């Protein structure tokens, strides 16, 4: 009988042998002894080699303390549709909510004219009870517009809310979980308040506002220090007094969305009536990317994000998901929603994973930048509602539909949860 054991082999040799095995074989091997189980689970080099071609979602600060085995296990659940699904926030009225997940610890959600903050439990599910809730200042207009929040951002300890009544409210977050302090209230942002504020962004000590019915970009200078908690609220009644400068986009209908890069020197803008975005150099006010040939009254860039420091990802009303290289202005990735539905929102992990929210069936779609074919689809709720906003980290997906927010948790055991696999290809037939 041989006294030698496979565990006596040099570690690099043993890892090379294990990489030749299937995942199912590795699971069986883990059952043989504790030493083999600990080796397989804790050896990150092994799983990096096994999953080098797989999609590993990397959007979480906590993953620095997570083993590669667990990362691969959770990512496998993403790709196979293995998760728990629960509607964690509900309301009775139809809204177009916007949400932002901050550091996987807090969820900020707009519901009508209310802005709410929720905590996240250890399972990654938002608490039903809010940490705080506030109503943004309301200006009653003579038209039929609502006072809802169109979009908001949480950035540099500030919350900037763009409203459909044509106003913008700027709050400072309180570290002690108290209600944020109102710093600025800009009453009339565009065309004397006659059009809504569709998107907002913050660049250093400047807030930028745009409207889908106005070709103007407004830059509002903040006169206070962002770290000064003693600043008293200021009401801005005359926008021309406090507007630092503005840029008018010639021959454009308006702007639907925008986002700044990490260096805050470039602003990517999604247009209303154009299937391609434009890129603005904030320091020189020059357009680095712009296309007149893609103008179309039926086209809208509904959401836009920086995928990394050089590439911009955006989705359109026609159901297209594209990545454009800001250095060359070339489209480097292009695909379409599996059902050819309009896409309302997009989020990336700045690596290979991209998630989009569609206009039908409360459906989110996962894509990999290395393939134009979708990886998986998730029907987040039973309602046939658009997904107006979404956010995710490496373990969970939060998707906001018209009457609630669904939380999908992928940090589960694959043996206990039934897979909902919609990764197969759908054929689009025109009749």
């Amino acid at each position: 009988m041989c006294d030698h054991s496979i565990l006596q082999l040099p570690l690099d040799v043993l890892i090379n042998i294990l990489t030749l095995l299937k995942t199912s074989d590795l699971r069986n091997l883990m059952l043989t002894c504790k030493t083999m189980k600990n080796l397989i689970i804790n050896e990150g080099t092994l799983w990096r080699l096994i999953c080098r071609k797989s999609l590993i979602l990397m959007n979480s600060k906590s993953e620095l303390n997570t083993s590669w085995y667990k990362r691969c296990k959770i990512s496998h659940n993403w790709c196979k549709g293995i998760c728990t699904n629960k509607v964690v926030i509900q309301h009775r009225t139809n809204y177009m909510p916007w949400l932002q997940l901050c550091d996987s610890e807090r969820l900020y959600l707009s519901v009508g004219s209310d802005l709410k903050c929720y905590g996240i439990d250890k399972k990654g599910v938002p608490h039903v009870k809010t940490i705080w809730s506030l109503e943004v200042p309301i200006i009653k207009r003579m038209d039929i517009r609502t006072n809802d929040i169109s979009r908001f951002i949480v950035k540099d300890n500030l919350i900037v809310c763009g409203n459909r009544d044509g106003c913008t409210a700027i709050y400072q977050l309180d570290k002690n979980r108290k209600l944020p302090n109102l710093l600025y209230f800009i009453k009339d942002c565009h065309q004397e308040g006659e059009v809504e504020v569709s998107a907002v962004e913050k660049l250093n000590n400047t807030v930028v506002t745009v409207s889908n019915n106005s070709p103007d970009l407004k830059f509002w200078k903040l006169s206070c220090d962002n770290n000064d908690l003693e600043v008293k609220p200021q009401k801005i009644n005359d926008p021309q007094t406090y507007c630092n400068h503005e840029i008018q986009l010639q021959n454009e209908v308006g702007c639907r969305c925008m986002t700044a890069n990490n260096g805050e020197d470039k602003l990517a803008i999604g247009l209303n009536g154009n299937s391609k975005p434009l890129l603005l150099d904030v320091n020189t006010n020059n357009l680095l990317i712009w296309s007149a040939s893609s103008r179309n009254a039926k086209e809208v860039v509904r959401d836009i994000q920086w995928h990394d420091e050089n590439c911009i990802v955006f989705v359109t009303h026609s159901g297209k998901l594209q990545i454009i290289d800001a250095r060359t202005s070339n489209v480097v990735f292009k695909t379409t929603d599996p059902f050819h539905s309009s896409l309302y929102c997009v989020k990336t992990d700045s690596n290979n994973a991209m998630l989009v929210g569609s206009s039908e069936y409360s459906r989110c779609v996962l894509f990999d930048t290395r393939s134009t074919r979708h990886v998986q689809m998730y029907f987040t709720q039973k309602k046939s509602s658009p997904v107006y906003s979404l956010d995710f980290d490496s373990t969970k997906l939060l998707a906001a539909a018209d009457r609630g927010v669904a939380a999908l948790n992928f940090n589960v055991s694959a043996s206990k949860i039934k897979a909902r696999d919609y990764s197969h290809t759908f054929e689009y037939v025109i009749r």
Side-chain angles (χ1 to χ4, degrees):
M1 183 176 181
C2 181
D3 295 331
H4 299 290
S5 169
I6 189 174
L7 295 173
Q8 294 176 335
L9 292 173
L11 182 60
D12 56 340
V13 175
L14 182 57
I15 290 175
N16 286 332
I17 294 174
L18 294 178
T19 56
L20 302 176
L21 300 179
K22 297 180 180 178
T23 306
S24 58
D25 295 331
L26 288 174
R27 294 196 195 101
N28 294 332
L29 196 58
M30 289 168 59
L31 300 175
T32 58
C33 67
K34 290 183 179 180
T35 304
M36 183 63 72
K37 179 180 179 180
N38 292 333
L39 171 66
I40 294 175
I41 290 178
N42 298 317
E43 185 50 55
T45 305
L46 169 64
W47 291 102
R48 284 198 295 271
L49 290 172
I50 292 175
C51 300
R52 60 186 180 275
K53 294 183 180 180
S54 302
L55 179 62
I56 307 296
L57 282 82
M58 304 291 288
N59 196 10
S60 175
K61 292 184 178 179
S62 62
E63 64 194 12
L64 296 175
N65 300 321
T66 304
S67 67
W68 263 94
Y69 169 76
K70 189 172 183 180
R71 292 189 215 178
C72 296
K73 178 182 176 181
I74 295 173
S75 295
H76 173 268
N77 291 345
W78 276 91
C79 297
K80 297 299 181 181
I82 303 171
C83 62
T84 59
N85 188 345
K86 183 180 180 180
V87 179
V88 292
I89 300 171
Q90 289 182 290
H91 35 265
R92 296 181 179 179
T93 307
N94 286 350
Y95 292 107
M96 297 176 66
W98 194 255
L99 64 79
Q100 184 172 337
L101 179 64
C102 292
D103 299 330
S104 299
E105 297 177 355
R106 289 191 183 186
L107 170 66
Y108 297 92
L109 175 71
S110 65
V111 181
S113 59
D114 293 333
L115 183 65
K116 301 183 178 184
C117 177
Y118 299 86
I120 306 293
D121 62 22
K122 294 181 180 180
K123 295 182 179 180
V125 178
H127 297 291
V128 176
K129 187 177 180 181
T130 59
I131 297 175
W132 52 257
S133 176
L134 60 85
E135 185 179 28
V136 298
I138 292 174
I139 298 295
K140 293 184 179 180
R141 307 289 183 180
M142 299 303 294
D143 53 21
I144 60 174
R145 276 182 295 163
T146 68
N147 300 306
D148 294 353
I149 299 171
S150 52
R151 291 203 182 190
F152 68 88
I153 59 167
V154 182
K155 190 175 181 181
D156 299 333
N157 210 34
L158 291 179
I159 304 178
V160 184
C161 301
N163 294 8
R164 290 191 169 87
D165 60 8
C167 304
T168 297
I170 304 172
Y171 294 88
Q172 188 155 34
L173 284 171
D174 192 304
K175 295 180 180 179
N176 297 321
R177 293 194 169 190
K178 296 180 181 179
L179 281 175
N181 303 317
L182 178 64
L183 294 183
Y184 292 92
F185 176 58
I186 309 174
K187 181 179 178 181
D188 301 320
C189 290
H190 298 267
Q191 298 181 15
E192 298 182 352
E194 293 181 359
V195 294
E196 70 173 48
V197 177
S198 303
V200 292
E201 184 55 279
K202 180 182 176 295
L203 303 171
N204 299 315
N205 61 342
T206 301
V207 167
V208 188
T209 62
V210 296
S211 173
N212 59 8
N213 294 312
S214 172
D216 298 333
L217 281 73
K218 293 288 188 73
F219 294 78
W220 308 86
K221 189 80 170 180
L222 303 182
S223 59
C224 67
D225 183 357
N226 295 338
N227 298 318
D228 185 2
L229 297 178
E230 301 301 323
V231 177
K232 296 181 180 180
Q234 302 183 32
K235 290 187 178 181
I236 304 177
N237 295 319
D238 183 4
Q240 298 303 323
T241 303
Y242 294 88
C243 183
N244 189 30
H245 72 280
E246 64 179 270
I247 299 174
Q248 186 174 29
L249 304 176
Q250 298 294 330
N251 302 317
E252 298 294 346
V253 177
C255 305
R256 175 75 63 165
C257 50
M258 62 178 167
T259 182
N261 63 341
N262 290 332
E264 297 190 346
D265 59 346
K266 294 181 178 64
L267 195 63
I269 303 168
L271 299 172
N272 198 18
N274 203 320
S275 61
K276 289 187 179 180
L278 60 81
L279 182 63
L280 175 70
D281 188 316
V282 177
N283 297 323
T284 63
N285 293 340
N286 293 328
L287 293 178
L288 306 179
I289 297 178
W290 177 74
S291 177
S293 61
S294 55
R295 282 201 191 102
N296 187 332
K298 297 181 180 180
E299 283 287 356
V300 174
V301 177
R302 289 197 172 271
D303 196 19
I304 189 168
Q305 297 284 325
W306 283 87
H307 181 63
D308 55 38
E309 194 58 30
N310 299 314
C311 294
I312 304 164
V313 57
F314 61 97
V315 291
T316 68
H317 180 73
S318 58
K320 295 178 181 178
L321 167 65
Q322 300 183 57
I323 297 179
I324 190 169
D325 193 319
R327 298 164 296 183
T328 62
S329 303
N330 294 328
V331 175
V332 295
F333 178 87
K334 184 177 180 180
T335 188
T336 307
D337 176 71
F339 289 175
H340 291 252
S341 302
S342 296
L343 298 178
Y344 275 52
C345 52
V346 61
K347 203 77 175 182
T348 85
D349 67 348
S350 299
N351 189 33
N352 290 315
M354 298 179 293
L355 271 163
V356 299
S358 77
S359 62
E360 297 177 337
Y361 313 119
S362 302
R363 178 171 53 91
C364 297
V365 189
L366 175 64
F367 288 94
D368 187 336
T369 57
R370 296 166 295 183
S371 172
T372 57
R373 185 176 178 273
H374 76 281
V375 177
Q376 191 57 258
M377 290 195 296
Y378 315 101
F379 294 86
T380 61
Q381 298 185 38
K382 294 181 180 179
K383 292 177 61 63
S384 182
S385 165
V387 174
Y388 292 105
S389 179
L390 64 83
D391 208 340
F392 72 98
D393 63 17
S394 58
T395 62
K396 59 182 172 292
L397 164 64
L398 300 173
D402 54 10
R403 291 199 180 188
V405 177
L408 278 65
N409 180 22
F410 295 88
N411 188 11
V412 295
S413 173
S415 61
K416 298 179 180 180
I417 303 296
K418 181 181 179 181
R420 297 177 177 87
D421 189 356
Y422 299 99
S423 60
H424 45 281
T425 303
F426 293 86
E427 184 178 357
Y428 184 66
V429 180
I430 300 177
R431 292 184 178 179

